[in-house]
């Protein structure tokens, strides 16, 4: 991280407004305590529990805890290759680092926030999609994730 906060995103994301304004807003005390914040994946698959963090959109604050998390992810390269999922490995490391090292993780609730909608909303939450189409949404982004398997 080299001392810089990082906003990571996949290429299948559309910005409606700059999400950095949300993450940098010091008056938003509800998020200032977190080291790393994720869009909810929308999936109920057990391999992503307990966080269900979507590794296609997240914000990382530069500190020793997040640096150690991503160093650990690099060291788990063989597991990523074997599992064919960096997201699954990252979520497992989030669980480990939050319980062992005090990493503070925030995953935005998929039903209680309309700021970071994704594939789940596109396929199953028509109210959110209609508000985006009408220009009445609070969404910062739309992530077209989760489009192969719309069941879970």
């Amino acid at each position: 991280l080299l001392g810089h906060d990082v906003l990571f995103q996949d290429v299948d994301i559309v910005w409606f407004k700059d999400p950095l304004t949300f993450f940098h807003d010091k008056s938003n005390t509800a998020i200032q305590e977190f080291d790393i914040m994720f869009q909810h994946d929308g999936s109920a698959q057990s391999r992503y529990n307990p966080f269900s963090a979507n590794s296609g959109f997240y914000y990382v604050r530069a500190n020793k805890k997040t640096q150690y998390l991503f160093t650990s992810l690099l060291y788990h390269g063989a597991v990523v290759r074997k599992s064919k999922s960096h997201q699954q490995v990252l979520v497992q490391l989030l669980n480990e680092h939050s319980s062992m090292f005090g990493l503070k993780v925030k995953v935005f609730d998929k039903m209680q926030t309309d700021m970071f909608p994704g594939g789940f909303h596109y396929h199953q939450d028509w109210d959110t999609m209609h508000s985006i189409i009408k220009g009445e949404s609070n969404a910062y982004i739309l992530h077209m994730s989760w489009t192969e398997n719309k069941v879970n």
Side-chain angles (χ1 to χ4, degrees):
L1 298 174
L2 302 175
H4 298 282
D5 294 350
V6 172
L7 175 64
F8 179 88
Q9 70 170 46
D10 285 349
V11 297
D12 57 348
I13 290 180
V14 175
W15 285 25
F16 300 115
K17 51 188 175 180
D18 185 354
L20 291 173
T21 60
F22 175 82
F23 295 115
H24 292 169
D25 182 2
K26 298 295 183 198
S27 68
N28 187 352
T29 57
I31 64 162
Q32 295 308 315
E33 69 181 90
F34 294 101
D35 299 307
I36 189 166
M37 293 168 269
F38 289 84
Q39 175 188 44
H40 195 284
D41 184 67
S43 175
Q45 294 182 43
S46 62
R47 68 185 183 146
Y48 298 133
N49 286 333
F51 289 110
S52 291
N54 187 311
S55 63
F57 183 80
Y58 57 93
Y59 183 78
V60 185
R61 297 191 197 285
N63 60 42
K64 294 289 184 189
K65 292 176 188 175
T66 56
Q67 186 175 18
Y68 185 46
L69 170 70
F70 283 98
T71 299
S72 298
L73 182 61
L74 287 173
Y75 289 147
H76 282 79
V79 180
V80 171
R81 186 173 183 167
K82 183 74 174 170
S83 68
K84 298 180 182 172
S85 172
H86 69 282
Q87 181 168 314
Q88 181 177 346
V89 176
L90 180 57
V91 169
Q92 290 169 353
L93 288 171
L94 290 174
N95 190 31
E96 179 180 310
H97 284 245
S98 66
S99 64
M100 294 179 66
F101 309 116
L103 180 75
K104 293 184 178 164
V105 179
K106 171 75 174 168
V107 177
F108 296 102
D109 186 284
K110 71 179 175 185
M111 297 308 293
Q112 293 181 346
T113 181
D114 61 350
M115 296 177 293
F116 306 107
F120 166 83
H121 300 91
Y122 180 79
H123 294 290
Q124 297 188 13
D125 182 0
W126 287 103
D127 290 338
T128 296
M129 294 311 300
H130 285 279
S131 70
I132 290 171
I133 291 166
K134 292 178 187 176
E136 300 169 352
S137 171
N138 293 321
Y140 283 84
I141 59 117
L142 175 63
H143 184 187
M144 284 307 300
S145 60
W146 201 60
T147 55
E148 182 177 331
N149 179 351
K150 299 161 201 70
V151 177
N152 61 7

